Amino acid sequence: MSYCSHLVNQKAIAIEQNHPKPSQLEEPQNMKKNSPKILSSLLALSSAFLAASPVIAQTEIEFGEDAINRTIQQDGIQITVNYEPIEIGTGSDRKNLQYTISYQGKERVAEKKFTFYTGSAFLQDLDNNGISEAIVKTFSGGAHCCTIFSIYSWDGNQFVETAVGGDGAGGSFMDIDNDGTTEFVTMDNAFLYQFSSYAGSFPPTKILKFASGDWVDVTRQYPQYLESVAASMYQTFVSNKNSGEVNGILAGYVAQKILLGEYREGWDFMLANYDRTSDWGLEIYEGNTQVGTYSDFPTALRMFLIEQGYLQPNDSL
């Protein structure tokens, strides 16, 4: 299973409020060595992100190798950032990023976070209500993990914080269909490592929209974009079918076809092409205890798709 799941949470924020320390995400113990021949799967996913029109923030502070003390403001919202780069090997208990967020000149949020050598703070109106959201992007460090976007939205009395993100770059803010509305495009992290190594996995798309201070899943509303990612998945499979892992790509492909309403087509393609010699992902667990083994990849995949909400138990094959 993925060790860095898709993140969505919400809380009301008041100045001087204490927050629990974020947990440090660790590399899974059962991680197998990545196959360099399969890296094209996630590169293709990155290319698919870039295929849509990215939304460029009007004001942004980027974190990197240099210390920063800077303020940006827009629509009555102000972010003041104090950032110091850290040395490699420094633990996440050191909060090297401090920031405050103000509304109409009054400080409302004061936070301290850890970020590893990268990140940003920017102001962008995500829901087109005329008031920008304050967005802070942090990176946990570690192989393949994890970028979090903390979004602070003014609700008339206070800032409400929500968070999205996940593995690698976490996702992208885009205007997919050029209608002036921002979407957040990411992937379903549950598919990483499930049936292949990280590099052999190609997760399906997840698209979220910010509305009324929270995130709504609107993935199925963008079939043209989903088709473009499905095409990248197919080309990745073709490129690697004779030289590397394929079941992690096929798992994502079937899920992507379900999102498009083309389950039967995706399933039949998987049946004709899956690697019958791979036992990755066939274990059956109750909690942390293995209690059995699925007979084959299609059986394990169907149960996984049901668990993740892509299929219902009574859906016919």
Side-chain angles (χ1 to χ4, degrees):
M1 295 292 292
S2 166
Y3 61 95
C4 190
S5 59
H6 170 70
L7 301 170
V8 178
N9 56 65
Q10 180 172 330
K11 58 181 177 178
I13 303 298
I15 187 169
E16 296 180 353
Q17 180 179 3
N18 293 322
H19 303 289
K21 294 183 178 181
S23 60
Q24 179 71 6
L25 296 164
E26 298 180 352
E27 194 74 11
Q29 296 299 314
N30 64 345
M31 176 183 174
K32 297 183 180 181
K33 184 178 180 180
N34 291 342
S35 168
K37 295 181 180 179
I38 313 296
L39 286 174
S40 57
S41 64
L42 292 183
L43 291 174
L45 180 60
S46 299
S47 297
F49 281 165
L50 296 175
S53 300
V55 177
I56 306 300
Q58 295 183 10
T59 50
E60 181 172 8
I61 304 170
E62 294 187 353
F63 315 143
E65 297 181 356
D66 298 323
I68 294 173
N69 191 334
R70 185 182 163 196
T71 298
I72 55 175
Q73 58 185 355
Q74 181 172 279
D75 301 330
I77 309 295
Q78 177 178 292
I79 307 176
T80 297
V81 169
N82 190 317
Y83 161 80
E84 294 183 4
I86 62 169
E87 298 294 330
I88 294 176
T90 302
S92 63
D93 55 337
R94 178 187 172 188
K95 304 300 184 282
N96 61 319
L97 172 63
Q98 302 178 43
Y99 58 91
T100 61
I101 305 175
S102 303
Y103 178 75
Q104 301 295 0
K106 184 176 181 180
E107 184 179 304
R108 302 283 185 153
V109 174
E111 279 276 17
K112 296 180 180 181
K113 294 183 183 291
F114 169 85
T115 189
F116 185 73
Y117 264 109
T118 187
S120 62
F122 56 101
L123 294 160
Q124 185 172 319
D125 186 359
L126 298 178
D127 52 7
N128 288 336
N129 69 347
I131 302 177
S132 294
E133 275 64 51
I135 305 170
V136 179
K137 173 184 173 183
T138 57
F139 178 59
S140 68
H144 315 308
C145 211
C146 276
T147 299
I148 306 300
F149 296 86
S150 299
I151 294 97
Y152 299 85
S153 179
W154 181 252
D155 73 352
N157 296 299
Q158 61 186 350
F159 283 101
V160 175
E161 180 185 359
T162 58
V164 292
D167 189 89
S172 300
F173 291 98
M174 299 179 177
D175 182 0
I176 296 175
D177 51 4
N178 296 311
D179 66 348
T181 302
T182 302
E183 292 81 37
F184 184 77
V185 182
T186 184
M187 59 186 176
D188 189 340
N189 285 255
F191 284 73
L192 294 171
Y193 293 108
Q194 183 62 34
F195 297 107
S196 292
S197 68
Y198 178 92
S201 304
F202 201 145
T205 304
K206 186 181 288 290
I207 303 173
L208 305 174
K209 183 170 289 188
F210 192 71
S212 301
D214 207 351
W215 293 96
V216 180
D217 191 328
V218 294
T219 305
R220 295 174 188 255
Q221 297 180 20
Y222 297 92
Q224 186 173 359
Y225 183 83
L226 297 179
E227 285 281 9
S228 70
V229 177
S232 294
M233 289 173 160
Y234 175 79
Q235 291 300 325
T236 300
F237 168 79
V238 170
S239 298
N240 294 283
K241 64 180 180 179
N242 295 322
S243 59
E245 303 167 282
V246 296
N247 288 355
I249 301 170
L250 290 171
Y253 183 74
V254 172
Q256 193 81 0
K257 298 295 273 187
I258 291 172
L259 295 173
L260 286 162
E262 301 170 0
Y263 170 41
R264 181 76 259 178
E265 180 181 333
W267 189 262
D268 288 347
F269 183 81
M270 178 276 297
L271 288 178
N273 293 282
Y274 76 93
D275 180 2
R276 288 158 174 79
T277 67
S278 175
D279 61 357
W280 197 313
L282 301 190
E283 303 89 351
I284 302 172
Y285 285 93
E286 289 184 2
N288 294 322
T289 303
Q290 183 176 346
V291 296
T293 303
Y294 290 112
S295 58
D296 54 27
F297 169 65
T299 303
L301 175 59
R302 176 173 169 77
M303 292 304 299
F304 179 71
L305 292 171
I306 291 172
E307 290 170 2
Q308 300 303 316
Y310 289 86
L311 290 178
Q312 297 300 316
N314 59 350
D315 285 339
S316 60
L317 293 176

